Amino acid sequence: MRAYIVANNPLPEKRGLDLNSVRTSYRAWAPVYDKTFGAVTSRGRRQAIKHINHHHGRVLEVGVGTGLSLKHYDPHLEVTGIDVSTHMLAKARKKVQKRALNHVTGIHEMDARAMEFPDNHFDVVVAMYLISVVPDPEKVIAEMARVCKNGGEVVIVNHFAHEKGALSVVEKVIAPFANKIGWHSDFAIQQTQGSKDLVLREKSKCSPLGMFTFMRMEKQAA
Ligand SMILES: C[S@@+](CC[C@H](N)C(=O)[O-])C[C@H]1O[C@@H](n2cnc3c(N)ncnc32)[C@H](O)[C@@H]1O
């Protein structure tokens, strides 16, 4: 299997997050991630993978992190994971090895904004809790659409900004600290809907407390 390494990313940084901050932030998160944020978000991950297990063929998980999802994919799938954090990926690789997850055929250090995969390559492309932590979310969605086959699905699980209520106030207060916390708290769902190749097929709330959203979009032939 070819190794994909992205050392220096040439893309401009946008929206208050930059790749170095993301790497620094997830270096700190890596040792505690599975027992903290990873544990709180397990339901959304399980919901997405339950859906994906009905598909066949190649799955790409973008921002695979510590690989919490990997053991949940059915063995009939061929799963590839990418991430920019060396420290998160080290945890993922350890899980693959320890649990002999043979359906995981590749774990690569790669920037989701410039993926080194061919067009129309994967049957499903999924990003869980990623889209509000990347520096350029529209570019990531465009890349996810590009590498997805026509008729395939792009699946997203994420927290999106509340339009009103107490949570929307908290999200706005935290927003300027995006680089410190590695997360864009007031991220609008509309930012995921810019690709002309993707048609929204389902959108529903996930636990806990409906804080997260599960979305699937179908890639249509241009
Ligand atoms: C909140 S974690 C989610 C990890 C995993 N998807 C999960 O469900 O636990 C976000 C992950 O996105 C990764 N990430 C952030 N920006 C990225 C980028 N441009 N390309 C690839 N991965 C990125 C981070 O390194 C981190 O591992």
Side-chain angles (χ1 to χ4, degrees):
M1 187 76 187
R2 192 180 149 200
Y4 300 88
I5 307 284
V6 175
N8 296 306
N9 201 290
L11 296 174
E13 311 294 2
K14 299 210 298 190
R15 297 183 198 290
L17 288 168
D18 64 68
L19 210 61
N20 283 338
S21 306
V22 168
R23 287 194 171 113
T24 305
S25 173
Y26 283 96
R27 180 183 187 151
W29 269 110
V32 295
Y33 184 88
D34 289 4
K35 296 221 153 52
T36 54
F37 188 82
V40 174
T41 50
S42 67
R43 294 243 202 119
R45 207 175 285 114
R46 293 296 290 274
Q47 180 175 340
I49 294 171
K50 192 172 169 194
H51 169 75
I52 292 168
N53 283 340
H54 290 115
H55 280 266
H56 289 272
R58 294 188 197 121
V59 175
L60 172 65
E61 188 175 326
V62 181
V64 66
T66 62
L68 277 174
S69 58
L70 296 173
K71 66 175 181 194
H72 299 300
Y73 290 104
D74 277 356
H76 70 270
L77 295 166
E78 190 184 312
V79 180
T80 300
I82 67 159
D83 203 287
V84 285
S85 166
T86 313
H87 294 83
M88 295 290 270
L89 283 177
K91 298 262 171 194
R93 290 195 176 106
K94 214 166 170 178
K95 288 187 181 78
V96 171
Q97 204 172 23
K98 198 169 158 195
R99 297 185 179 140
L101 302 176
N102 296 326
H103 57 282
V104 181
T105 53
I107 296 281
H108 308 294
E109 188 166 330
M110 192 187 296
D111 187 347
R113 300 174 301 168
M115 294 194 239
E116 298 175 39
F117 298 117
D119 297 354
N120 304 312
H121 190 65
F122 294 97
D123 297 272
V124 181
V125 183
V126 56
M128 292 179 277
Y129 313 108
L130 164 87
I131 209 70
S132 54
V133 312
V134 285
D136 192 349
E138 290 89 351
K139 178 70 186 146
V140 172
I141 300 275
E143 276 291 272
M144 291 174 76
R146 179 184 69 75
V147 301
C148 184
K149 289 179 184 170
N150 293 332
E153 275 193 343
V154 167
V155 175
I156 290 180
V157 179
N158 214 80
H159 168 86
F160 294 109
H162 289 79
E163 278 167 18
K164 50 189 180 189
L167 275 178
S168 77
V169 177
V170 175
E171 288 160 2
K172 286 193 180 79
V173 169
I174 299 173
F177 306 102
N179 256 339
K180 286 262 176 291
I181 57 176
W183 174 54
H184 207 275
S185 61
D186 62 347
F187 186 82
I189 197 163
Q190 290 78 2
Q191 283 179 250
T192 63
Q193 301 300 303
S195 169
K196 59 180 180 3
D197 298 335
L198 298 178
V199 178
L200 184 62
R201 293 291 183 215
E202 186 181 345
K203 187 174 93 167
S204 56
K205 290 282 178 203
C206 315
S207 294
L209 305 171
M211 271 171 67
F212 299 98
T213 301
F214 165 83
M215 259 190 331
R216 57 183 187 88
M217 297 176 271
E218 186 182 330
K219 167 136 176 224
Q220 300 221 316

